[in-house]
Amino acid sequence: MTKKAVVVGANGIIGSNLISHLVELGDWEIIGLSRRGGVASGKLRHIAVDLLDATDASDKLAHLTDVTHIFYAAYQDRPTWAELVPPNLAMLVNAVNAIEPIAARLEHISLMQGYKVYGAHLGPFKTPARETDANHMPPEFNIDQQDFLEALQKGKSWTWSALRPSVVVGFALGNPMNLASVIAVYASMSKELGIPLRFPGKPGAYDSLLEMTDAGLLARATVFIATNPHCGNQAFNINNGDLFRWSEMWPKIARFFDLEVAPPLPMSLNVVMADKEDLWNRMIEKHGLAKTPYRDVSSWAFGDAVFSWNYDFFADGSRLRRAGFHEYVDTEEMFMRVFSDLRGRRIIP
């Protein structure tokens, strides 16, 4: 029987890479859900829907009676941790409540989370973080979302999974969590201005241990988990499999962009890059780049968050390996591949 996936958050870095993988597999019908919609192609079609509106979700998704898998990767940002809870919980609840009762063939609901479950965003946390670690003091929308799925699943034939990647690196424009674009645009502007590449993070962040998650690896792991019954009703950390320090990676990134490295200098990218739109527009004309609006090319606030981690940031990924998924990605190679892709797409010089 044909597998039919609904990918919620289809235009994000996680959702778009997951859709690409499902298309490559060839035996999936795919419905992408997002606010903007998208372009249909082959077995892929899109639905533009406001998941904050339960009525709109119910009306737009009422025909999805043959869905077998729901992959949830949507996210809406808010200024505070408490304000993140209502919209992000509502979007999941509205999407699932519109589809689950009518999808007789539903097999699995996949929930994308992250290391916020472990309190990684709050400060130094226990490393390596494990799926069995205790929850932290709320608010935390990831935990509320998982509680919702666990409660809904009781007595049902379908299963759920909670996926916990580190920082996800891949190609996606207009995405609030795209570290590769942050680094690539920052480095390209440094070169344009004739200055060396300085690490802008907090003191201590340059030498902390951390890890990343390749978007393609995450997509493959997500499908593996969703289609293996023995993985049901569990959480899984998903990471590249190696650790690094910015003090080692930063000079390699600088070499890719033909830049010298100067000593780190703590500074908020959200502040120092706020006046660079004119520079960006000049670079587009000078280098014949794709006409990407400055607001879509990078999220400086996200870069500030990642570069502020002056503590170790990694989790134990062995549960997924014990389940049978043995892929890994070299993080240095991943960065260089994504930078090359950005050049190939004429996003950066």
Side-chain angles (χ1 to χ4, degrees):
M1 298 177 69
T2 301
K3 297 188 289 288
K4 187 166 186 174
V6 169
V7 179
V8 188
N11 294 325
I13 188 170
I14 293 174
S16 60
N17 280 276
L18 175 58
I19 286 174
S20 294
H21 178 54
L22 292 171
V23 169
E24 289 173 1
L25 289 174
D27 58 345
W28 289 81
E29 290 183 19
I30 309 145
I31 308 293
L33 303 188
S34 63
R35 285 172 294 174
R36 302 194 307 269
V39 179
S41 175
K43 294 182 178 180
L44 166 66
R45 61 190 179 90
H46 290 265
I47 299 174
V49 57
D50 179 6
L51 291 178
L52 291 175
D53 184 336
T55 301
D56 193 51
S58 178
D59 291 345
K60 299 279 184 64
L61 310 181
H63 63 289
L64 300 179
T65 57
D66 55 347
V67 168
T68 59
H69 294 75
I70 299 173
F71 296 98
Y72 186 87
Y75 172 77
Q76 282 211 4
D77 200 14
R78 292 293 188 274
T80 68
W81 304 127
E83 289 175 276
L84 283 169
V85 176
N88 285 290
L89 180 58
M91 288 192 298
L92 173 67
V93 170
N94 291 338
V96 171
N97 282 349
I99 299 172
E100 189 267 348
I102 61 174
R105 296 199 297 131
L106 185 64
E107 297 177 18
H108 191 82
I109 299 178
S110 171
L111 172 64
M112 196 62 61
Q113 296 181 324
Y115 292 0
K116 285 188 176 72
V117 170
Y118 306 123
H121 56 307
L122 301 175
F125 63 106
K126 182 185 80 65
T127 53
R130 292 186 170 87
E131 295 90 345
T132 53
D133 289 350
N135 293 340
H136 61 79
M137 180 69 74
E140 180 45 60
F141 73 87
N142 289 280
I143 295 171
D144 292 341
Q145 288 176 327
Q146 184 174 332
D147 287 346
F148 164 73
L149 282 186
E150 288 192 49
L152 185 66
Q153 189 275 334
K154 293 186 185 306
K156 308 289 180 64
S157 59
W158 56 267
T159 58
W160 60 268
S161 61
L163 312 183
R164 300 172 181 174
S166 183
V167 177
V168 180
V169 176
F171 175 78
L173 290 177
N175 188 275
M177 294 184 173
N178 194 339
L179 185 65
S181 290
V182 169
I183 295 173
V185 175
Y186 174 64
S188 298
M189 287 187 165
S190 296
K191 186 171 184 178
E192 192 72 17
L193 293 171
I195 57 177
L197 189 66
R198 292 184 186 270
F199 180 76
K202 286 184 178 179
Y206 204 49
D207 296 306
S208 297
L209 274 174
L210 67 158
E211 67 188 354
M212 300 279 144
T213 303
D214 176 76
L217 175 78
L218 177 58
R220 296 188 294 275
T222 297
V223 175
F224 173 87
I225 293 165
T227 54
N228 281 272
H230 65 278
C231 294
N233 301 336
Q234 296 182 70
F236 290 91
N237 295 328
I238 304 174
N239 44 50
N240 285 353
D242 59 359
L243 300 174
F244 71 97
R245 304 180 199 273
W246 286 119
S247 57
E248 180 185 17
M249 188 69 70
W250 205 251
K252 297 173 180 177
I253 291 172
R255 281 199 295 273
F256 180 92
F257 290 96
D258 297 319
L259 286 166
E260 297 295 323
V261 174
L265 181 64
M267 54 183 162
S268 168
L269 294 177
N270 207 31
V271 173
V272 301
M273 305 305 284
D275 67 341
K276 300 296 189 292
E277 184 171 5
D278 287 344
L279 172 62
W280 177 247
N281 290 334
R282 292 197 301 271
M283 290 172 63
I284 289 175
E285 296 303 320
K286 177 181 176 181
H287 300 286
L289 304 180
K291 296 188 183 300
T292 310
Y294 188 57
R295 66 179 181 275
D296 292 342
V297 82
S298 182
S299 173
W300 303 116
F302 181 65
D304 284 341
V306 173
F307 296 142
S308 74
W309 296 334
N310 54 358
Y311 47 87
D312 292 347
F313 193 99
F314 61 95
D316 173 20
S318 63
R319 173 182 280 187
L320 184 56
R321 291 195 294 276
R322 292 193 298 273
F325 184 84
H326 300 136
E327 291 192 44
Y328 64 90
V329 168
D330 180 275
T331 299
E332 178 187 344
E333 184 277 332
M334 173 198 72
F335 273 122
M336 305 311 158
R337 169 170 41 83
V338 176
F339 295 153
S340 295
D341 185 36
L342 289 170
R343 274 188 177 163
R345 296 172 187 263
R346 302 305 298 159
I347 304 299
I348 59 172

